[in-house]
Amino acid sequence: MKFFSNLLITTMIVMSFMACQQKAEKAVVVDNDSVYADTAVVCDSYIKAIDYYLTNEFGQQYSQSDVCIPFFTIVGVDEHNADNILVWGDYWVFNYQLIGDLLRTVSGGSHAGLMHVRQTGETFEVTGFDAVTDGAGNLESAKKIFGDKYDDFHRVNSDADKREATRNSFIARYVKDHHLAVQRYQDEGWPAVAIKE
């Protein structure tokens, strides 16, 4: 059941960016391993706030380039308190140089942890972030932040193939939304990857 919950969440995240310009729909969230429809409007949801936060807070910390495209997989959500919506996730940020039809990776990295989001009317804003620490304290920090969601986080964070597919989907969405003539992206030392439609 957890596998289908995580798959549904990933699909919802990618589709929410596309649905934003069409019409308001209900967002699917996870709480204590149960999937349910909530009344949050997708195009003005915490998802868009997280995308903005990753771009403007973490994206600015890396070597700058032409384009910043974050991507993420949400592991769990608690929307019970509009002043402090909790969003656990595996968050990534990459800056790219635009060269013809290619996005070449310049900088970036991962930022797993817990986002704190405040809802005021129809506006959502990230108010804080509990980051999993790097180095020796990584495992202890991750277990503390994710708690009973740690196994789900570990499974998501360890699946490089699925993570790359999620990255590809987010890049495809960004390219479409910004009307870029981009067909591929490339990390240093690796072959270029075709962007899937």
Side-chain angles (χ1 to χ4, degrees), residues 71 92-97 102-109 163-164 167 171 184-193:
F71 72 95
W92 292 75
V93 179
F94 284 102
N95 289 332
Y96 301 91
Q97 182 182 13
L102 175 72
L103 290 173
R104 179 168 291 155
T105 305
V106 172
S107 59
R163 179 169 58 248
E164 196 60 28
R167 179 185 182 189
I171 291 173
R184 304 168 298 146
Y185 64 95
Q186 183 178 30
D187 294 334
E188 183 69 31
W190 292 89
V193 177

Side-chain angles (χ1 to χ4, degrees), residues 58-72:
F58 292 127
Q60 300 298 319
Q61 297 175 16
Y62 294 108
S63 298
Q64 295 301 292
S65 196
D66 301 321
V67 176
C68 178
I69 307 176
F71 72 95
F72 47 92

Side-chain angles (χ1 to χ4, degrees), residues 8-17 47 72-74 170:
L8 185 58
I9 292 168
T10 301
T11 302
M12 181 276 295
I13 293 168
V14 174
M15 294 305 293
S16 70
F17 290 108
I47 295 170
F72 47 92
T73 302
I74 291 179
F170 273 68

Side-chain angles (χ1 to χ4, degrees), residues 105-168:
T105 305
V106 172
S107 59
S110 67
H111 301 272
L114 171 62
M115 291 278 181
H116 297 266
V117 183
R118 178 174 57 230
Q119 178 182 2
T120 306
E122 296 182 359
T123 303
F124 292 78
E125 175 189 10
V126 174
T127 58
F129 180 63
D130 301 334
V132 172
T133 60
D134 293 328
N138 178 267
L139 180 61
E140 181 182 349
S141 174
K143 286 186 173 182
K144 181 178 180 182
I145 290 171
F146 284 91
D148 62 358
K149 298 167 182 62
Y150 175 76
D151 288 342
D152 290 336
F153 163 69
H154 179 68
R155 183 168 50 253
V156 165
N157 185 256
S158 301
D159 191 339
D161 291 338
K162 187 171 181 181
R163 179 169 58 248
E164 196 60 28
T166 301
R167 179 185 182 189
N168 198 311

Side-chain angles (χ1 to χ4, degrees), residues 1-2 5 8-9 28-37 77:
M1 189 64 161
K2 287 184 180 179
S5 296
L8 185 58
I9 292 168
V28 178
V29 296
V30 167
D31 178 53
N32 296 328
D33 299 325
S34 64
V35 179
Y36 62 94
V77 177

